[in-house]
Structure formats: C-alpha cells, structure tokens
C-alpha cells in the first residue's frame, strides 16, 4: 500500500498542500477550525510525516534538540515550553532531551552524534567542560544556555544567559534594604558550579554594598539545587546560636527556597517576620508557595526566543556567522516572603 502523502491529506481536508504542511509543522498561521479539519484528515488517513524525505528536499529536517539537565525542575520545564512555542513560530519541531548533567551525554548532543535528523541543538551544559565543548562546538549548529565559566571566544557557539551576579546582587540587596543584617545564602554547592560561584559572588557584593560582613557559617554547602537540600541547609541554619542565626536567607533557586520555607515552618519561625526569604528562578512554584516567594525572574520568553532564533539563523545560513553572547533581562518580583501580609494572586 502506497504511503499517504501531504497531497492526500490536503484533498481529504479540502485545503492546500501548504496548509497541511503548516499544520504538521505546528506553524501558527492557521485558524483553529482549519487546523482541526486537517488533523482529522491526518488521523483518518494515518498520515505520518517523513523527516528524512524533508531533509532530502531541503537539506534540513526541521527538527532541533533542546537538552537540559533536569525536566523535573520547574525552571527547565517552563523554559522547554517557551522554546517549543518559539520554535513553532519558525516552523521548527523540538525534541527534548534530559541529560541529568552527564558530561558524556551533553557532549554527544553537542556534536549531533546519534541524532542524525537534528539540524542543531540548544544545550544547557552542566557537566561538560569548556575545553571539551571548545573542541566540538564548530562541528554542529549549537547554542548554549546558562552560565558562562569561560572566556567569550573560548567556545565557538552562541550563548544566551542572564547576568547571574547582578540577579543575586539584586535579591540580596532587597533583603538588606529591609534592615536584615544576618543574611544567609543557600546554594553554595560542593561541585563549585558556575551557577553557584556567580550567585555567591553577587550575594557577597550586595553584602559589601550594605556594609554587612560575610559570615561563612551562614553559607552551608549543599549537594543539589532541590527542595531537600534547601530543607537540610535551613535546618542547619536554624540550629545556630541565636546571635548568629539568620534573619534573612537568599536561596540560589526557587526549589531551595521552598525547602527552606518548610524548615522554617517546622522550627516555628514566621516568614518574613523572623526570617525573610528571597530566591532566583521566577517559577510558578514561587508564585503559588505559601507564603508566595520573592524571586528574581529571568525573562524565559526572551531566553527561548534568542536561543531559537540564533540556532535557526546558524542552520539556515550558507556562510559562517560570528558567534554572539546574548544577555536576557531579569527583574525582582517582591512577594509575601519579604513583604509580609497576604497578597491576592489574581484580581
């Protein structure tokens, strides 16, 4: 039996082949009624897109990869949603990979090995070293997300990030402006990751700006940026002598802050009266936690848009393009965990 073609689907749905192509690629320029009619025809005929055939016609499959460390982390889950949305605007389909920070897996994806149908990859590296990336970055269209722990020209790839030092400085300055003087930091990880180093730097700069001395006892080491480690670190902080115990805490992620809030609840301490809490990520989890969490919000839409457009331009260009570093904006959203009171989420 002959394979079902775009023409077959177009005839069944009563639309043009171009319209069927737009629906299959999830392009936005199709009415909902037309989209439903085409998808009904696709289902009835059993049509399956053939990326290999598309690559033979155009030289591109229209498939790009997004590789992140952990899809269970709200930040990366939300970012993946934005990348998919932005890619659809350009007629691209996204395949999402979870690397769990494994250096070998990150390097495999950065080179396109084992993913022959992918036109390029957006990678949020965690385990792979700058030298390893530098050795392969020119072999395959690649855009990096997240912190840079290397010089601008060391790795030949576009890079999209936020200013982590400035973001951490803003969150800590907000706590200091409340008059808090024993400000703790939860997020100094044992691996010495770029995220941890940069956010600690911003934290320390804000303390210096406020005339507050950095106390290493208020920066316990953690293993992971998750709820459990936030809980354990905050338990250790609440066990300190009364004259050392923090009156505010800056957490390096929303998940750490949620865990810290639970530990404060267990200790019978109130937020923000006894301990004010601020974080970075701007996730929905911060919005819906009780109390709602003050958090620095990276512009995830801008991050996704910049990353997808950079990758698409590199894929479609016949000439080598200069590599660029793009810094997406961020802002501080102050909520109940520092402002107190009760705020209605939606009015």
């Amino acid at each position: 039996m002959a394979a079902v073609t775009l023409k077959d689907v177009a005839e069944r749905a009563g639309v043009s082949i171009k319209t069927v192509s737009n629906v299959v690629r999830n392009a936005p320029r199709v009415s909902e009624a037309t989209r439903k009619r085409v998808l009904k025809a696709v289902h009835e005929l059993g049509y399956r897109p053939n990326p290999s055939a598309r690559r033979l016609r155009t030289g591109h499959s229209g498939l790009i990869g997004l590789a992140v460390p952990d899809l269970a982390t709200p930040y990366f889950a939300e970012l993946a949603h934005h990348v998919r949305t932005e890619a659809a605007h350009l007629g691209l389909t996204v395949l999402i990979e979870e690397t769990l920070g494994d250096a070998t897996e990150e390097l495999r994806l950065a080179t396109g090995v084992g993913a022959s149908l992918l036109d390029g990859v957006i990678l949020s590296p965690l385990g792979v070293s700058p030298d390893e990336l530098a050795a392969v970055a020119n072999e395959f269209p690649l855009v990096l997300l997240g912190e840079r722990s290397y010089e601008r020209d060391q790795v030949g790839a576009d890079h999209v990030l936020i200013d982590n030092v400035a973001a951490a400085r803003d969150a800590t300055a907000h706590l200091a402006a409340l008059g808090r003087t024993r400000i703790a930091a939860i997020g100094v990880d044992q691996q010495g990751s770029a995220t941890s180093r940069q956010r600690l730097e911003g934290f320390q700069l804000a303390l210096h700006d406020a005339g507050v001395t950095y106390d290493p006892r208020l920066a316990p080491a953690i293993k992971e940026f998750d709820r459990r480690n936030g809980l354990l670190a905050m338990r250790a902080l609440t066990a300190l002598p009364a004259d050392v115990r923090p009156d505010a805490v800056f957490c390096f992620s929303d998940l750490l802050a949620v865990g810290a809030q639970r530990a404060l609840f267990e200790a019978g301490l109130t937020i923000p009266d006894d301990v004010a809490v601020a974080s970075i990520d701007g996730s929905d989890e911060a919005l819906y936690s009780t109390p709602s969490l003050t958090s620095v919000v990276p512009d995830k839409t801008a991050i996704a848009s910049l990353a997808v457009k950079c990758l698409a331009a590199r894929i479609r260009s016949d000439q080598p393009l200069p590599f660029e570093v793009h810094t997406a904006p961020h802002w501080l959203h102050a909520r109940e965990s520092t402002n107190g009171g009760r705020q209605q989420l939606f009015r």
Side-chain angles (χ1 to χ4, degrees):
M1 183 177 178
V4 178
T5 66
L6 285 177
K7 181 180 179 182
D8 297 328
V9 176
E11 290 176 350
R12 174 67 68 93
V15 298
S16 68
I17 294 175
K18 178 64 174 176
T19 298
V20 175
S21 176
N22 286 338
V23 171
V24 169
R25 292 185 296 107
N26 201 26
R29 300 177 299 278
V30 181
S31 72
E32 189 59 29
T34 299
R35 187 181 301 275
K36 287 181 178 179
R37 191 161 75 250
V38 170
L39 291 176
K40 182 173 183 291
V42 166
H43 176 72
E44 290 173 349
L45 295 174
Y47 172 75
R48 294 291 182 271
N50 186 340
S52 296
R54 177 179 176 179
R55 171 163 279 188
L56 287 173
R57 292 193 309 270
T58 68
H60 303 300
S61 67
L63 301 177
I64 62 172
L66 170 66
V68 297
D70 184 8
L71 283 169
T73 300
Y75 175 83
F76 288 118
E78 293 171 22
L79 182 63
H81 166 75
H82 289 294
V83 168
R84 179 190 170 281
T85 300
E86 293 298 323
H89 290 318
L90 297 180
L92 299 171
T93 300
V94 183
L95 301 180
I96 300 173
E97 295 275 359
E98 185 179 47
T99 66
L100 301 179
D102 181 78
T104 301
E105 181 68 3
E106 290 176 353
L107 194 61
R108 180 183 72 82
L109 291 165
T111 57
V113 174
S116 59
L117 289 179
L118 293 180
D119 291 331
V121 167
I122 299 169
L123 170 67
S124 179
L126 187 62
V128 66
S129 73
D131 288 340
E132 289 173 315
L133 277 178
V136 302
N138 286 315
E139 298 178 7
F140 187 63
L142 177 67
V143 173
L144 301 177
L145 300 179
E147 294 69 30
R148 291 170 64 237
S149 56
Y150 46 83
E151 296 301 319
R152 180 186 183 99
D153 297 326
Q154 184 178 351
V155 176
D158 294 318
H159 205 132
V160 181
L161 67 160
I162 68 165
D163 187 336
N164 265 295
V165 174
R169 195 173 190 170
D170 291 345
T172 309
H174 173 69
L175 294 171
L178 300 174
R180 309 300 170 114
T181 56
R182 299 189 305 278
I183 306 175
I186 296 179
V188 180
D189 65 30
Q190 297 172 350
Q191 295 78 24
S193 68
T195 302
S196 180
R197 294 198 311 271
Q198 292 172 11
R199 293 182 182 180
L200 178 61
E201 179 184 350
F203 171 76
Q204 292 173 322
L205 286 171
L207 292 185
H208 181 269
D209 293 341
V212 176
T213 301
Y214 172 68
D215 186 343
R217 293 174 296 178
L218 297 181
I222 64 164
K223 294 180 179 179
E224 303 287 345
F225 277 32
D226 60 16
R227 300 173 187 86
R228 176 177 172 77
N229 276 271
L231 173 79
L232 296 176
M234 195 70 240
R235 282 178 178 170
L237 290 168
T238 58
L240 291 171
D243 62 336
V244 179
R245 189 181 307 143
D247 57 10
V249 58
F250 165 55
C251 299
F252 291 10
S253 77
D254 286 350
L255 289 186
L256 287 170
V258 169
Q261 287 181 317
R262 175 66 195 184
L264 292 170
F265 173 77
E266 292 177 352
L269 298 171
T270 60
I271 305 170
D273 295 341
D274 295 318
V275 182
V277 182
S279 181
I280 294 182
D281 272 351
S283 66
D284 279 351
E285 185 145 356
L287 180 63
Y288 287 98
S289 69
T290 303
S292 57
L293 177 62
T294 291
S295 184
V296 173
V297 183
D299 191 336
K300 300 182 201 65
T301 300
I303 292 171
S305 179
L306 287 166
V308 171
K309 288 177 180 176
C310 283
L311 188 63
R314 197 159 293 284
I315 291 168
R316 294 168 179 173
S317 177
D318 294 329
Q319 302 295 326
L321 299 175
F323 299 112
E324 298 181 345
V325 176
H326 299 276
T327 302
H330 68 268
W331 57 88
L332 178 76
H333 197 144
R335 300 191 179 103
E336 295 162 343
S337 68
T338 59
N339 285 351
R342 297 189 180 189
Q343 302 171 2
Q344 186 174 344
L345 292 184
F346 305 109
R347 300 183 184 277

